């Protein structure tokens, strides 16, 4: 029997890619087997130094635990460390963030006794979006739908443009086709994902991100579309109009800030000022008063003074964000930021992370308090059988827990919100 096991590290894009490969393998008769796989595939991550370390550890663990399995390594870490993974760790098939559409073909050749070549990453052309096929593997009632790959922003701290290549958009007809497939297979919520989601369509010249969202929202029986992340400059009037007029667009924007100090933003090579960012936030809040606004923040960027950190702290409050995802700066060899002077002491980073997490907790508590004792509509995503509780989220991402002897996963339930 042909069996497989997969591991996905890092972002939801990686999880989507692994899911797509699982679907293709199962079409060819492969069966998932965590204990005795004939092929083990890992999609690696390289967003931080810790991610690199985890990728190495997991690859070695797969090789040690499954000595008779074909080991396939793909993703951002192997894109940058192809020679090390293939020659030192000695995985069987090594690709990075392109040529993944050839993986299943190579696996089949191996199982048919044919010789296989390790995929060579030297070309790194990244000339088109790679179609991996329609995925049938998603978590519960929520599915991730990848619409683009790559990034052209080149923020000074980020390796991803080097590991994922230039921005490439998926053809809209393929996005729509997969979304329709997911809806027809009972998925209620679709999360649009990619490396630079809001940049969708800039390379196609025929469609914008907002146009794509509009087409997706018109799919019959689609309960909800959620946008994973979007830059402030890409939230246009059309998108704001959609979130106000279309009940199936999640009432939630995740807008990366990274820093609330203009001097730090400039060193980061971010493409906006604090004034521009705040103007967009105010426009959104005036148009959509109760919309959930979440963000990413990096602390301890090279040269970040106490004054600059305090500027970020106060700016977050000024924006009125409701939740923060806080990350200490991670120096990545090959980026501009890695060569900058005045790298920040890890102890100071830790203190600043703690301060922003505390702020985030207070902001979220204040936001969620608005909805106490109000009726909310919840998509049930999981059921805690031990405690008999249905768990799900509202459109604006409030987690709701409903005691119930009946498992209601996949149902839409109206209830009164309680913390």
């Amino acid at each position: 029997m042909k069996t497989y096991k997969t591991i996905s590290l890092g972002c939801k894009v990686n999880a989507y890619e692994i899911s797509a490969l699982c679907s293709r393998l199962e079409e060819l008769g492969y069966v998932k087997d965590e204990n005795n796989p004939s092929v083990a595939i890992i999609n690696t991550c390289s967003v931080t130094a810790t991610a690199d370390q985890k990728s190495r550890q997991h690859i070695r663990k797969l090789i040690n635990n499954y000595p008779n399995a074909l080991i396939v390594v793909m993703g951002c870490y192997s894109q940058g460390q192809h020679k090390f993974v293939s020659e030192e760790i000695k995985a069987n098939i090594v690709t990075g963030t392109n040529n993944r559409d050839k993986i299943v073909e190579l696996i089949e050749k191996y199982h048919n006794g044919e010789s296989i070549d390790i995929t060579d990453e030297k070309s790194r052309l990244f000339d088109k979006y790679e179609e991996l096929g329609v995925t049938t593997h998603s978590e519960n009632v929520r599915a991730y739908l990848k619409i683009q790959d790559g990034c052209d922003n080149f923020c000074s701290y980020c390796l991803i443009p080097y590991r994922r290549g230039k921005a490439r958009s998926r053809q809209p007809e393929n996005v729509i086709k997969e979304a329709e497939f997911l809806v027809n297979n009972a998925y209620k919520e679709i999360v649009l994902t990619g490396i630079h989601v809001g940049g969708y369509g800039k390379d196609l010249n025929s469609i914008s991100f907002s146009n794509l969202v509009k087409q997706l929202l018109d799919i019959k029986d689609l309960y909800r579309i959620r946008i994973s992340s979007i830059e402030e400059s890409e939230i246009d009037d059309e998108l704001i109009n959609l979130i106000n007029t279309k009940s199936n667009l999640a009432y939630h924007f995740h807008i990366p800030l990274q820093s609330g100090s203009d001097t730090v933003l400039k060193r980061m090579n971010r493409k906006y000022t604090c004034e521009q960012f705040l103007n967009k936030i105010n426009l959104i809040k005036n148009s959509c008063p109760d919309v959930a606004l979440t963000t990413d923040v990096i602390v301890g960027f090279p040269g970040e003074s106490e004054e600059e950190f305090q500027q970020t702290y106060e700016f977050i409050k000024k924006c009125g964000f409701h939740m923060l995802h806080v990350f200490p700066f991670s120096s990545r060899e090959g980026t501009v930021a890695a060569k900058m002077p005045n790298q920040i002491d890890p102890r100071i980073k830790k203190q600043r992370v703690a301060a922003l997490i505390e702020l985030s907790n207070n902001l979220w508590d204040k936001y969620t308090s608005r909805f106490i004792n109000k009726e909310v509509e919840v998509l049930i995503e999981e059921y805690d059988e031990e405690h008999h509780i249905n768990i799900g989220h509202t459109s604006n991402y409030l987690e709701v827990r409903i005691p119930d002897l009946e498992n209601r996963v996949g149902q839409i339930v109206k209830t009164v919100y309680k913390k």
Side-chain angles (χ1 to χ4, degrees), residues 28 30 35 39 88 96 119 134 140 149 160 187 214 218 222 231 292 295-296 298-299 327 329 348 371:
L28 296 172
Y30 286 78
N35 299 314
V39 56
E88 297 295 325
T119 308
V134 172
N140 296 326
D149 207 338
I160 299 305
Y187 292 102
K214 186 175 186 299
D218 288 336
L222 172 58
E231 298 289 339
T295 193
D296 297 329
I298 295 173
V299 299
F327 306 92
F329 169 74
I348 295 175
F371 305 96

Side-chain angles (χ1 to χ4, degrees), residues 332-387:
R332 310 299 288 121
E333 185 179 351
T335 64
V336 173
K339 300 175 183 177
M340 288 182 177
N342 302 319
Q343 299 285 324
I344 304 300
D345 187 300
R347 291 171 296 179
I348 295 175
K349 291 183 193 178
K350 188 175 181 179
Q351 292 168 2
R352 292 176 181 174
V353 166
L356 287 188
I357 289 175
E358 182 181 10
L359 175 60
S360 177
N361 291 337
N362 292 335
L363 291 170
W364 186 244
D365 185 63
K366 183 179 178 181
Y367 176 67
T368 55
S369 294
R370 294 187 203 175
F371 305 96
I372 293 176
N373 295 326
K374 292 184 178 180
E375 186 178 73
V376 293
E377 189 172 276
V378 185
L379 171 61
I380 304 299
E381 299 154 23
E382 59 179 301
Y383 184 64
D384 181 341
E385 293 188 1
E386 182 181 353
H387 300 99

Side-chain angles (χ1 to χ4, degrees), residues 242-285:
L242 288 172
I243 205 168
N244 271 327
T245 59
K246 296 286 190 177
S247 61
N248 55 345
L249 179 55
Y251 212 58
H252 173 207
F253 283 126
H254 183 83
I255 312 168
L257 170 64
Q258 308 306 6
S259 176
S261 164
D262 280 329
T263 47
V264 176
L265 287 174
K266 189 173 182 179
R267 296 201 297 275
M268 287 180 166
N269 196 33
R270 299 291 285 173
K271 306 300 193 294
Y272 50 82
T273 64
C274 288
E275 181 181 6
Q276 290 170 330
F277 195 97
L278 182 60
N279 287 341
K280 182 59 64 74
I281 293 296
N282 287 335
L283 174 63
I284 294 166
K285 293 176 81 170

Side-chain angles (χ1 to χ4, degrees), residues 276-316:
Q276 290 170 330
F277 195 97
L278 182 60
N279 287 341
K280 182 59 64 74
I281 293 296
N282 287 335
L283 174 63
I284 294 166
K285 293 176 81 170
N286 289 334
S287 302
C288 323
D290 284 331
V291 69
L293 296 175
T294 59
T295 193
D296 297 329
V297 186
I298 295 173
V299 299
F301 190 78
E304 183 185 61
S305 64
E306 185 60 33
E307 180 185 2
E308 288 172 327
F309 173 70
Q310 287 302 321
Q311 288 172 356
T312 294
Y313 190 95
E314 294 302 322
F315 186 73
I316 288 166

